[in-house]
Amino acid sequence: MKEDKRILKTKKNLKDTFIKMLSVKSFEQITVKELCEISNTSRITFYTHYSDKYDLMDDISEDMIKMAQIEYQDLQKKNNPMKDSVISYCNFLDCILNIYYKNIQFFSHTSNSENPYLSFSFYKYILKYLEIHTKKRSDFLKPKYSIKKISSFLCYGLWGFINQSHAENCSVDTVRKEIREILQSILYSEILTVNSKKLEKPNKKTTSTD
């Protein structure tokens, strides 16, 4: 059941205001009272939709993940009709990159040093869906270790690489190229998985999502 347009508008206002506030205050410093004052929303209205600011943060993360899921399905149809495992991972990675750069105002304030809760909060969502994805592909790329271990290794490493690349002012195209090379090298090398059949590296056109 779809939410009323007025409810969606109210939630969007709260989310947008919250993200803007992160440029001047840390997550821990932001209060519901101040958020409501700046967004011109009553506290009664806020608590009608959210139990607290942590609940609001979860809703923001879920919005981003939903967008990524839709984009992932589109990419799979577009460039991976045979459901190649490595291309599937590359498409998953592209969706995460797109989330990051489309919401850079938010992610600019999610470093461990600035806002550790926000950093962990979104990370756990990515990890959750990466675990699901890895489990689905395990018939084709048989894991050498537990799915949780492999997912944690990939998620923490790739997410850290994205954050550091942004800190070093790397272009989106450069980050996309470098991180895809890393991911493909790991999957083709069988460091983490035993391929059910020998995989041949496709040419650049096959893996491109541009």
Side-chain angles (χ1 to χ4, degrees):
M1 184 177 178
K2 291 185 177 180
E3 288 185 298
D4 185 277
K5 288 184 178 180
R6 290 171 297 179
I7 294 176
L8 291 173
K9 185 177 180 180
T10 297
K11 286 186 172 182
K12 185 177 186 305
N13 180 38
L14 286 167
K15 294 171 189 175
D16 290 345
T17 303
F18 172 79
I19 292 173
K20 288 177 181 177
M21 290 177 71
L22 287 173
S23 63
V24 293
K25 287 192 172 186
S26 70
F27 176 78
E28 296 301 331
Q29 293 174 324
I30 295 175
T31 64
V32 171
K33 178 181 179 182
E34 187 177 20
L35 173 60
C36 290
E37 289 174 351
I38 296 176
S39 64
N40 293 314
T41 305
S42 71
R43 295 181 70 181
I44 293 176
T45 299
F46 176 90
Y47 286 114
T48 297
H49 305 301
Y50 301 109
S51 58
D52 50 34
K53 65 180 181 180
Y54 298 93
D55 191 23
L56 172 61
M57 178 59 228
D58 284 341
D59 199 23
I60 291 173
S61 296
E62 288 174 1
D63 282 348
M64 294 181 188
I65 291 298
K66 286 176 183 176
M67 291 175 60
Q69 288 176 314
I70 294 172
E71 186 174 12
Y72 174 77
Q73 294 303 325
D74 289 342
L75 286 175
Q76 286 289 88
K77 291 178 182 178
K78 178 182 176 182
N79 69 4
N80 194 20
M82 301 304 291
K83 296 184 179 179
D84 177 89
S85 294
V86 176
I87 297 176
S88 293
Y89 271 99
C90 288
N91 284 341
F92 184 96
L93 176 60
D94 271 338
C95 292
I96 298 303
L97 274 172
N98 291 339
I99 285 179
Y100 186 90
Y101 285 103
K102 285 177 182 177
N103 299 277
I104 198 63
Q105 183 182 9
F106 171 75
F107 287 112
S108 293
H109 305 289
T110 57
S111 66
N112 283 325
S113 57
E114 185 177 352
N115 281 302
Y117 176 80
L118 297 186
S119 177
F120 175 75
S121 179
F122 193 73
Y123 167 82
K124 71 180 181 182
Y125 277 93
I126 298 177
L127 180 59
K128 172 186 174 182
Y129 287 97
L130 185 56
E131 284 180 9
I132 293 172
H133 183 80
T134 301
K135 187 173 182 179
K136 286 181 178 178
R137 308 311 301 174
S138 61
D139 288 343
F140 304 94
L141 295 175
K142 299 184 183 301
K144 287 185 178 179
Y145 312 99
S146 73
I147 288 176
K148 283 187 177 293
K149 284 181 180 179
I150 291 176
S151 300
S152 296
F153 176 85
L154 290 174
C155 188
Y156 192 79
L158 296 176
W159 190 242
F161 189 93
I162 293 171
N163 278 317
Q164 185 57 37
S165 295
H166 176 66
E168 294 179 10
N169 296 315
C170 296
S171 69
V172 179
D173 290 340
T174 297
V175 178
R176 195 182 301 277
K177 176 178 179 294
E178 291 179 344
I179 201 167
R180 185 181 288 161
E181 287 175 349
I182 292 172
L183 179 59
Q184 288 180 335
S185 295
I186 290 173
L187 295 176
Y188 284 121
S189 69
E190 299 187 354
I191 293 174
L192 299 177
T193 61
V194 177
N195 300 326
S196 58
K197 60 180 180 179
K198 188 63 178 178
L199 297 173
E200 293 183 5
K201 291 187 180 181
N203 58 40
K204 292 182 179 179
K205 288 184 179 180
T206 305
T207 58
S208 175
T209 59
D210 299 332

